[in-house]
């Protein structure tokens, strides 16, 4: 396995390896300080980023590498050089390429043409690096992932998709509640259901937020307007998604002391109430910290060729 484009690219054993390695990285971030030997890892952002950009920068430094941060306006890619030519050129310079952009298809094309590992740092369809950090956070809190239930309330987006695949791969029940018209991609749902069948967990998609939250060990929220979605949709989305806000009434349906999770950035008073995100059961900053440990583990595992990949490669 060369790249990580979505969580379903991983086998259950790969996931376990990444989580164990992330814990090792957390307790000793500089243990592998010679891995990159001063080589460059390029991180490319066509959308804004705080956590992904800065956590990868720290992770690359811990591994003895040099982070080179670029965006479309700095590369000829922004003036029409092909994805394939760019991918082949950067493969001659860097040890890995981390990419945040819009279309999943662009990242697939990049990965297919590159000879170095390519990591999806958020696309319209997936956010696998976030889901790895989320699973690490759950594991730190609960010890064992298998048998937990996670509820996601809101827009069925990139974060939802990766969370569904990650929970299903790890044996965690995932219950997603969205308004009509905001459901997760049926292709992702089918992939997650297949993974869940193998791990013995369940994927539920509903329009009922309280049903989704019932008995959950963690309740997850994300923004109502993702990057790349037109601002023109803001008012409509606010109206449609309001009943899916994670607030005290929703948390009361979950398991006692259930965690609140959010990938950040958050909008208090929209997808989550201030009392929940700033309350004692919120783990949002642990998730943010874990972005760095899981990024470092992922880079290490891909550079060293330690991941086998899923038995059946998923291509979209
Ligand atoms: N959660 C996350 O990916 O944050 P950034 O957009 O700040 O990278
Ligand atoms: N769904 C959000 C996640 C941000 C980290 C977005 O794509 O903007």
């Amino acid at each position: 396995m060369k790249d990580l484009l979505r969580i379903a690219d991983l086998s259950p054993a790969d996931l376990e390896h990444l989580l164990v390695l992330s814990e090792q990285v957390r307790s000793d971030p500089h243990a592998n300080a010679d891995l990159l030997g001063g080589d460059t890892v390029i991180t490319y952002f066509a959308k804004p980023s705080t956590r992904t950009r800065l956590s990868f920068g720290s992770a690359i430094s811990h591994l003895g590498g040099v982070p080179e941060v670029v965006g479309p306006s700095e590369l000829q890619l922004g003036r029409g050089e092909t994805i394939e030519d760019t991918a082949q050129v950067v493969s001659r310079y860097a040890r890995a390429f981390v990419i945040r952009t819009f279309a999943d298809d662009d990242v697939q094309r990049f990965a297919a043409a590159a000879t170095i590992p390519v990591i999806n740092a958020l696309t319209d369809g997936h956010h696998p690096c976030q889901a790895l950090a989320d699973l690490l956070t759950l594991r730190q809190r609960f010890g064992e992932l298998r048998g937990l239930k996670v509820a996601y309330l809101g827009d069925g987006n990139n974060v939802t998709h990766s969370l569904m695949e990650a929970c299903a791969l790890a044996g965690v029940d995932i219950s997603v509640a969205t308004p009509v018209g905001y459901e997760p991609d049926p292709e992702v749902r089918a992939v997650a259901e297949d993974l869940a069948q193998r791990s013995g967990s369940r994927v539920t998609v509903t329009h009922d937020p309280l049903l989704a939250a019932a008995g959950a060990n963690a309740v997850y929220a994300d923004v109502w307007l993702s990057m790349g979605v037109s601002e023109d949709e803001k008012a409509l989305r606010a109206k449609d998604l309001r009943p899916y806000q994670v607030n005290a009434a929703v948390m009361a349906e979950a398991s006692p002391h259930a965690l609140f999770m959010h990938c950040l950035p958050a909008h208090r008073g929209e997808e989550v109430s201030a009392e929940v995100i700033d309350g004692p059961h919120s783990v949002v900053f642990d998730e943010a910290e874990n972005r760095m440990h899981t990024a470092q583990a992922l880079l290490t595992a891909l550079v060293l060729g330690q991941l086998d990949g899923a038995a059946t490669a998923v291509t979209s």
Side-chain angles (χ1 to χ4, degrees), residues 38-62:
D39 289 345
T40 299
V41 172
I42 301 172
T43 63
Y44 170 89
F45 290 90
K47 294 173 176 172
S49 170
T50 297
R51 281 143 289 271
T52 308
R53 174 182 173 144
L54 300 177
S55 64
F56 265 101
S58 298
I60 293 161
S61 300
H62 292 161

Side-chain angles (χ1 to χ4, degrees), residues 48-52 100 127 130 227 263-264 291:
S49 170
T50 297
R51 281 143 289 271
T52 308
R100 168 172 289 195
H127 198 1
Q130 181 65 47
M227 294 179 282
C263 56
L264 304 180
R291 291 296 310 275

Side-chain angles (χ1 to χ4, degrees), residues 122 127 157-159 222-223 226-227 263-264:
L122 183 147
H127 198 1
N157 61 19
N158 45 9
V159 167
D222 185 20
V223 294
S226 284
M227 294 179 282
C263 56
L264 304 180

